[in-house]
Amino acid sequence: MPKTPTAKIRVPVAMQLTTDLVARTLRVVEDEGPEPKWTPISSQKLDELVSRVEREAGDDEIWVFAYGSLMWSPGFGVSAREEAVAYGWHRAFSLRIERLRATSDAPGLMLALHPGGSCSGLILKLPCATKKRDLRTLLAREIRYAEVCDMVRWVSVRTPTGTRRALTFWASTKQSQLTEKISLTDAAVLIAQACGPAGSCAEYLHRTVADLADRNIYDRNLWQLQKMVAATLRALPED
C-alpha cells in the first residue's frame, strides 16, 4: 500500500501557552447575535448547500479534512478516521471574527485553510446511517453566513491507505475582507485579547496546538504563534 510522506517531526517539549495563561483570557460574555454586516444562512440556503455537497459526493462516502477544532471537537459521531496530509494547502489564523470567540470591541481570529504549502491533520468519515443529518450539522457549524457558502470545497489528501477526496473549509479569495493575510505579531495581539460566548481565541489556539502535539504534528507557524500569545498574556497586568 502507498505510504503517506511524513509531515511529522518531534514536537518541542512544552508549550509556552499554558492552561494558566489561557484561564486569564476566559470570562463570561453575552451573545451579541450574528456577525456585523453578515447574513445568517437560512434553513433553505443550508438545505441547498447540503444537497450540493451530496450531489458532488454521489455514491461515495463523505470524509471531512480536519485541521483545527474539528480534530478535537468534530460535533458528530465519527465512524472512521485516518491521518492525512493536504498538499498545496496550509492552516493559518486569518479568519476575522467579532462573535463566537470574540466581540466587536475585542475582535479575534480563527483558523482557515489557505492555498500553498502542506497541512497535516485528520480525515473523519461521516456515519452512513446518519450521513445527511451529520452533514447538515457540520455545514451549519462551519458555514454560518450566506456570503461564505463558497468556503466549503473538496480537496485531495494523502493517507496511509492512499489518496482520498475530502470535504473541507477554506479561505476563499472572494471573501478577502474576512480572510485577509495578517502577520503573526498582529495575530498574537488579536488572539490574546478575544473572548466570546464560546470561549477565547487563546483557548482555541491552545487546544489546537496541544492536539497537534499529541499527534506528534509540528506546525511551525502555530508553534511560534502560541509562544507569541503567551508572551503577550504574560506582559498584561493580572486582575
Side-chain angles (χ1 to χ4, degrees), residues 2 6 12 26 38 43 59 94 115 128 131 152 160 163 167-168 182 185 192 220 238:
T6 181
L26 299 174
W38 295 93
S43 180
D59 295 329
S94 64
C128 293
K131 183 167 64 175
V152 56
T163 301
L167 196 68
T168 198
I182 185 168
T185 300
R220 181 180 59 187
E238 295 191 47

Side-chain angles (χ1 to χ4, degrees), residues 127-234:
C128 293
T130 57
K131 183 167 64 175
K132 187 180 185 73
R133 183 187 70 197
D134 289 336
L135 177 60
R136 194 178 196 280
T137 299
L138 173 66
L139 293 174
R141 163 180 161 165
E142 300 294 329
I143 306 295
R144 296 171 178 267
Y145 301 101
E147 292 87 353
V148 297
C149 285
D150 65 330
M151 292 176 70
V152 56
R153 62 165 294 158
W154 299 91
V155 294
S156 178
V157 300
R158 289 291 304 274
T159 78
T161 58
T163 301
R164 289 192 185 275
R165 186 175 73 145
L167 196 68
T168 198
F169 304 93
W170 71 302
S172 169
T173 55
K174 294 180 182 179
Q175 304 297 338
S176 59
Q177 292 182 343
L178 186 67
T179 58
E180 60 191 41
K181 291 182 180 180
I182 185 168
S183 69
L184 288 181
T185 300
D186 291 340
V189 172
L190 289 170
I191 291 170
Q193 74 176 9
C195 184
S200 71
C201 286
E203 177 188 39
Y204 174 86
L205 171 63
H206 178 271
R207 292 196 66 177
T208 300
V209 177
D211 186 85
L212 291 172
D214 286 344
R215 302 178 194 282
N216 201 31
I217 297 174
Y218 173 64
D219 185 302
R220 181 180 59 187
N221 284 342
L222 262 61
W223 196 263
Q224 179 65 21
L225 187 57
Q226 63 86 23
K227 291 195 293 185
M228 296 170 73
V229 171
T232 302
L233 291 172
R234 284 195 297 266

